[in-house]
């Protein structure tokens, strides 16, 4: 007897589960219920419709019900909302949103993929005004673009500095809007550490977006918003992108267990507390293999993998659940930014003993066109050297570097493994010692105590406390911009000027990107110096770290001129 499998919700999770189920069983009756008008669309591409990068709204829709039926023999009922699950009867109650009719359907197995909904805090006055939008589906993005066009909107406020907030802000800016980006935290992009995200803050500012941090929204008016600080910001349209909440109402009302993070609790096979009901996607709670704690992860790739595993388990195919590590990438104007695994905040919260490397090598051979610096931060466990995560920002292929690290993390790789990794090389693509190999070598030096380092986050304190800082760049580099109290002893003159270096106090060395200062430290340590620290990230990293806060606060600069080259 063939199975009757009902799927609640489409897009990455539900649609993927349904098509996998069909490949496993041609005789099964499979029906997808989607409360919206589209069952399969490119969720992640929605913001790019605002700028015209995606020209046609219809191209966002990947498959329609007719295509599902023709290609997969799967019935899709759009504009049909599942409003109740009766577990004892193994039925669902469905409401046809077009006619208002309610009807029941029986299932042998049920797959839930309801997704997550954008958060709209009721505490914000005016949160449901007609000029307030969220971005979840094709209808949302079309409504927003139509409103902007029909009302000739020029001033837009985007609330929230996560992936959706940044992509919406960028694409509206590319479309010619005046954009204010408001984030209640002290940084955008929470998966990145504070030192790394300053590079993104500068990029946002450089492209004419008014970035407002550490401030929330109090009130939304017709053509303005009022922030918690009392500041008034022009805003004829407002996009709420402060996060999403898992859609668990259906599951909760059915008595399914909800996890501690607020997502539907599932086992390793993505089965809920009911053996005949599975759940996948943004609505579920997953296991973080690094923190060893439950978490939520709203990513399309994860949803698709979960969907395949759930479908396989329904047909008794063994499932391997590796947990999640959270790998992601974003384009922000001229920069690309990617990360995987743990950042410093997460490692501290999990109680993991760690250290990190922050390097800025070229992303390809310097003689090649479009060779640019890549800011790369690698976290590793102490004392094992196990790789915990990484962040990369630059104009080049940050994604492939982070993909390498993600692979190592999933394989429980160490710094030694990464150091010996054999990767593709040609001058147009990278360097003979790739960014990730370079990071591993520096990490091993740190782990093994070959030299000591201090991060860019500590440099302002060093300068303000008149620490002894040596700039080992050449004279012309120093004169183009330097830390206000740094002494210039170029690496080319270091051995002749050793007498100028104190031995009775800590000495901090830097260059442009920490490579020459590392060489200087190694030479000096062989001469008997044991009071030396390399400034991780060096002058390029310092310039990026200081710039945004200097501009928005008007504080005293610790350097004479910035250097971003």
């Amino acid at each position: 007897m063939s199975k009757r499998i009902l799927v609640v919700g489409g897009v990455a999770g539900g649609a993927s589960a349904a098509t996998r189920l069909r490949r496993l069983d041609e005789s099964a009756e499979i029906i997808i219920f989607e409360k919206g008008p589209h069952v399969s669309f490119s969720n992640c591409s929605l913001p790019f419709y605002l700028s015209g990068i995606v020209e046609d709204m219809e191209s966002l829709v990947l498959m329609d019900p007719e295509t599902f039926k023709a290609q997969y023999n799967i019935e899709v009922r759009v504009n049909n909302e599942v409003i109740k699950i009766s577990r004892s009867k193994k039925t669902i109650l469905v409401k046809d949103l077009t006619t208002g009719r309610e009807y029941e359907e029986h299932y042998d197995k049920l797959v839930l993929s309801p997704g997550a909904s954008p958060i709209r805090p009721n505490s914000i006055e005016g949160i449901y005004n007609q000029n307030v939008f969220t971005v979840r589906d094709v209808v949302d993005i079309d409504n927003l673009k139509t409103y902007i066009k029909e009302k000739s909107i020029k001033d837009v406020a985007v609330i929230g500095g996560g992936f959706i907030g940044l992509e919406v802000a960028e694409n509206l800016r590319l479309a010619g809007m005046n954009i204010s980006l408001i984030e209640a935290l002290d940084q955008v992009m929470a998966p990145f550490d504070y030192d790394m995200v300053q590079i993104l803050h500068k990029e946002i500012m450089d492209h004419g977006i008014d970035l407002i941090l550490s401030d929330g929204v109090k009130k939304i008016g017709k053509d303005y918003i009022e922030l918690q600080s009392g500041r008034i910001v022009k805003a004829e349209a407002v996009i709420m992108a402060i996060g999403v909440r898992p859609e668990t109402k259906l599951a909760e009302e059915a008595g399914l267990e909800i996890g501690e993070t607020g997502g539907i609790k599932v086992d390793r096979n993505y089965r809920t507390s009911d053996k005949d009901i599975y759940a996948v996607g943004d609505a579920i709670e997953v296991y973080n293999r690094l923190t060893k704690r439950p978490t939520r992860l709203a990513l399309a790739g994860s949803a698709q993998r979960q969907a395949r595993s759930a479908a396989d388990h329904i047909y008794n195919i063994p499932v391997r659940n590796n947990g999640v590590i959270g790998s992601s990438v974003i384009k922000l104007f001229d920069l690309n930014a990617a990360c995987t695994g743990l950042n410093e905040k997460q490692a501290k919260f999990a109680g993991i003993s760690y250290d990190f490397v922050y390097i800025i090598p070229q992303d390809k051979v310097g003689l090649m066109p479009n060779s640019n610096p890549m800011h790369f931060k690698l976290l590793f466990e102490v004392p094992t050297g196990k790789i915990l995560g990484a962040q990369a920002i630059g104009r080049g292929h940050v994604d492939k570097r982070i993909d390498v690290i993600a692979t190592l993390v999933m394989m429980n790789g160490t710094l030694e493994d990464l150091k010996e990794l054999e990767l593709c090389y040609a001058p147009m693509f990278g360097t003979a010692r790739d960014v990730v190999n370079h990071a591993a070598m520096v990490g091993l030096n740190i782990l093994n105590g070959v030299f000591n380092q201090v991060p860019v986050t500590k440099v302002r304190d060093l300068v303000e406390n008149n620490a002894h800082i040596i700039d080992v760049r050449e004279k012309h580099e120093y004169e183009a911009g330097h830390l206000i109290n740094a002494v210039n002893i170029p690496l080319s003159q270091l051995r002749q000027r050793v007498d100028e270096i104190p031995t009775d106090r800590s000495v901090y060395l830097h260059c442009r990107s920490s490579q020459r200062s590392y060489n200087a430290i190694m030479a000096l340590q062989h001469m008997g110096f044991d009071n030396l620290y390399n400034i991780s990230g060096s002058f390029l990293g310092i310039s990026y770290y200081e710039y945004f806060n200097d501009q928005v606060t008007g504080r005293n600069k610790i350097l004479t001129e910035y250097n971003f080259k």
Side-chain angles (χ1 to χ4, degrees), residues 404-425:
V404 168
I405 301 301
T407 303
L408 265 291
V409 171
M410 293 299 291
M411 300 293 182
N412 297 313
T414 66
L415 292 171
E416 288 285 0
D417 296 322
L418 183 57
K419 177 175 73 77
E420 295 299 325
L421 208 60
E422 184 177 339
L423 302 169
C424 295
Y425 162 65

Side-chain angles (χ1 to χ4, degrees), residues 355-361 376 378 380 415 418-419 433 435-451 453 513-515 518 534 536-537:
D355 209 332
F356 70 87
V357 169
Y358 175 22
I359 59 172
I360 317 175
F376 192 87
L378 179 71
F380 55 89
L415 292 171
L418 183 57
K419 177 175 73 77
R433 178 186 296 158
V435 173
V436 296
N437 301 125
H438 185 175
M441 293 174 185
V442 177
L444 285 168
N445 281 339
I446 297 299
L447 184 65
N448 295 326
V450 174
F451 68 90
Q453 67 174 359
S513 64
S514 300
Q515 181 66 43
Y518 160 69
N534 199 11
S536 176

Side-chain angles (χ1 to χ4, degrees), residues 158-399:
V158 179
I159 317 302
F163 287 93
I164 295 297
L166 259 62
E167 288 178 340
V168 167
E170 176 191 11
N171 281 278
L172 287 174
R173 182 61 182 156
L174 292 174
M177 306 291 107
N178 301 318
I179 308 298
S180 297
L181 179 61
I182 294 96
E183 169 57 58
L185 299 177
D186 62 355
Q187 67 170 81
V188 301
M189 295 299 291
F192 289 80
D193 282 320
Y194 189 74
D195 52 357
M196 294 291 285
V197 85
Q198 300 308 320
I199 305 163
L200 302 182
H201 289 170
K202 180 179 184 298
E203 186 74 1
I204 293 167
M205 175 182 280
D206 286 352
H207 283 83
I209 292 178
D210 183 16
L211 176 58
I212 302 170
L213 301 174
S214 303
D215 210 346
V217 180
K218 180 179 180 181
K219 177 182 178 181
I220 300 174
K222 181 180 179 181
D223 57 3
Y224 73 94
I225 58 173
E226 180 183 346
L227 303 183
Q228 295 291 343
S229 63
R231 179 174 174 177
I232 302 298
V233 176
K234 283 184 178 181
E236 300 163 285
V238 177
I239 295 93
M240 296 299 301
I242 61 174
V244 294
R245 182 181 290 113
E247 292 273 17
T248 59
K249 181 181 178 183
L250 188 65
E252 288 184 69
E253 291 180 348
L256 299 178
E257 188 175 353
I258 303 300
E260 63 183 76
T261 67
I264 301 170
K265 189 169 185 178
V266 294
D267 65 14
R268 69 183 306 273
N269 304 303
Y270 302 101
R271 188 165 55 179
T272 68
S273 50
D274 185 311
K275 66 181 179 63
D276 293 316
I277 303 177
Y278 293 74
V280 300
D282 297 355
I284 72 170
E285 180 176 87
V286 292
Y287 176 76
N288 186 305
R289 66 180 286 136
L290 292 167
T291 64
K292 305 188 186 308
R293 298 289 305 163
T295 187
R296 297 206 313 269
L297 189 66
L299 294 174
S302 298
Q304 289 185 344
R305 288 189 292 275
Q306 295 157 12
R308 181 183 178 91
S309 294
D312 284 355
H313 190 260
I314 288 173
Y315 283 90
N316 300 313
I317 297 172
V319 172
R320 179 178 178 180
N321 191 326
N322 293 316
V324 302
I325 60 174
S327 302
S328 55
V329 64
I330 187 172
K331 172 195 166 292
L332 183 63
F333 294 109
D334 297 325
L335 290 180
N336 305 311
C339 61
T340 190
L342 302 184
N343 58 29
E344 286 200 71
K345 298 183 291 289
Q346 293 166 326
K348 288 174 183 175
F349 185 78
I352 298 173
S353 176
Y354 76 95
D355 209 332
F356 70 87
V357 169
Y358 175 22
I359 59 172
I360 317 175
Q362 294 297 112
D363 57 13
K364 61 182 69 171
V365 171
L367 295 174
M368 296 297 106
N370 301 317
S371 174
N372 289 288
M374 181 175 292
H375 298 256
F376 192 87
K377 185 172 184 177
L378 179 71
L379 272 71
F380 55 89
E381 187 178 55
V382 176
T384 65
K386 177 184 173 182
I387 296 169
L388 299 174
Q391 302 155 49
I393 301 175
R395 293 173 181 262
H397 293 293
V398 299
D399 54 335

Side-chain angles (χ1 to χ4, degrees), residues 76-90:
V76 175
R77 300 180 190 173
V78 295
N79 298 310
N80 276 249
E81 181 178 7
V82 177
I83 57 177
K84 184 180 179 180
I85 302 170
S86 296
R87 292 166 55 194
S88 59
K89 297 191 299 179
K90 296 185 71 171

Side-chain angles (χ1 to χ4, degrees), residues 4-229:
R4 194 167 202 259
I5 306 173
L6 306 184
V7 180
V8 180
V11 201
S16 296
T19 53
R20 175 61 176 170
L21 287 164
R22 171 57 72 225
R23 288 191 292 273
L24 295 175
D25 186 352
E26 182 60 27
S27 67
E29 183 181 2
I30 304 169
I31 307 173
I32 301 175
F33 298 86
E34 170 57 53
K35 66 181 178 181
H38 304 108
V39 65
S40 180
F41 58 90
S42 182
N43 192 298
C44 300
S45 299
L46 294 176
F48 300 95
Y49 177 59
L50 298 172
S51 62
I53 291 174
V54 173
E55 297 179 6
D56 179 15
M57 186 195 75
E58 292 305 317
S59 66
L60 291 167
V61 180
L62 304 179
M63 293 186 74
D64 56 24
E66 293 73 24
T67 306
F68 264 97
K69 186 65 177 177
Q71 294 189 5
Y72 295 100
N73 192 25
I74 292 172
E75 183 180 353
V76 175
R77 300 180 190 173
V78 295
N79 298 310
N80 276 249
E81 181 178 7
V82 177
I83 57 177
K84 184 180 179 180
I85 302 170
S86 296
R87 292 166 55 194
S88 59
K89 297 191 299 179
K90 296 185 71 171
T91 62
I92 59 172
L93 181 63
V94 187
K95 182 176 183 178
D96 186 326
L97 300 179
T98 303
T99 65
R101 180 178 72 93
E102 294 184 3
Y103 61 95
E104 277 192 341
E105 293 285 358
H106 174 268
Y107 65 84
D108 295 312
K109 298 292 181 181
L110 181 64
V111 179
L112 303 179
S113 181
S117 57
I119 296 171
R120 285 200 189 210
N122 291 323
S123 59
I124 298 175
E125 183 181 343
I127 191 65
Y128 293 105
N129 290 356
Q130 68 169 3
N131 65 333
V132 180
F133 299 85
T134 57
V135 176
R136 183 186 185 182
D137 54 32
V138 177
V139 174
D140 286 345
I141 208 72
D142 186 44
N143 288 341
L144 172 58
K145 188 165 185 176
T146 299
Y147 184 87
I148 288 173
K149 183 178 180 180
E150 290 182 349
K151 302 288 186 181
S152 299
I153 301 295
K154 292 303 291 183
D155 297 311
V156 180
V158 179
I159 317 302
F163 287 93
I164 295 297
L166 259 62
E167 288 178 340
V168 167
E170 176 191 11
N171 281 278
L172 287 174
R173 182 61 182 156
L174 292 174
M177 306 291 107
N178 301 318
I179 308 298
S180 297
L181 179 61
I182 294 96
E183 169 57 58
L185 299 177
D186 62 355
Q187 67 170 81
V188 301
M189 295 299 291
F192 289 80
D193 282 320
Y194 189 74
D195 52 357
M196 294 291 285
V197 85
Q198 300 308 320
I199 305 163
L200 302 182
H201 289 170
K202 180 179 184 298
E203 186 74 1
I204 293 167
M205 175 182 280
D206 286 352
H207 283 83
I209 292 178
D210 183 16
L211 176 58
I212 302 170
L213 301 174
S214 303
D215 210 346
V217 180
K218 180 179 180 181
K219 177 182 178 181
I220 300 174
K222 181 180 179 181
D223 57 3
Y224 73 94
I225 58 173
E226 180 183 346
L227 303 183
Q228 295 291 343
S229 63

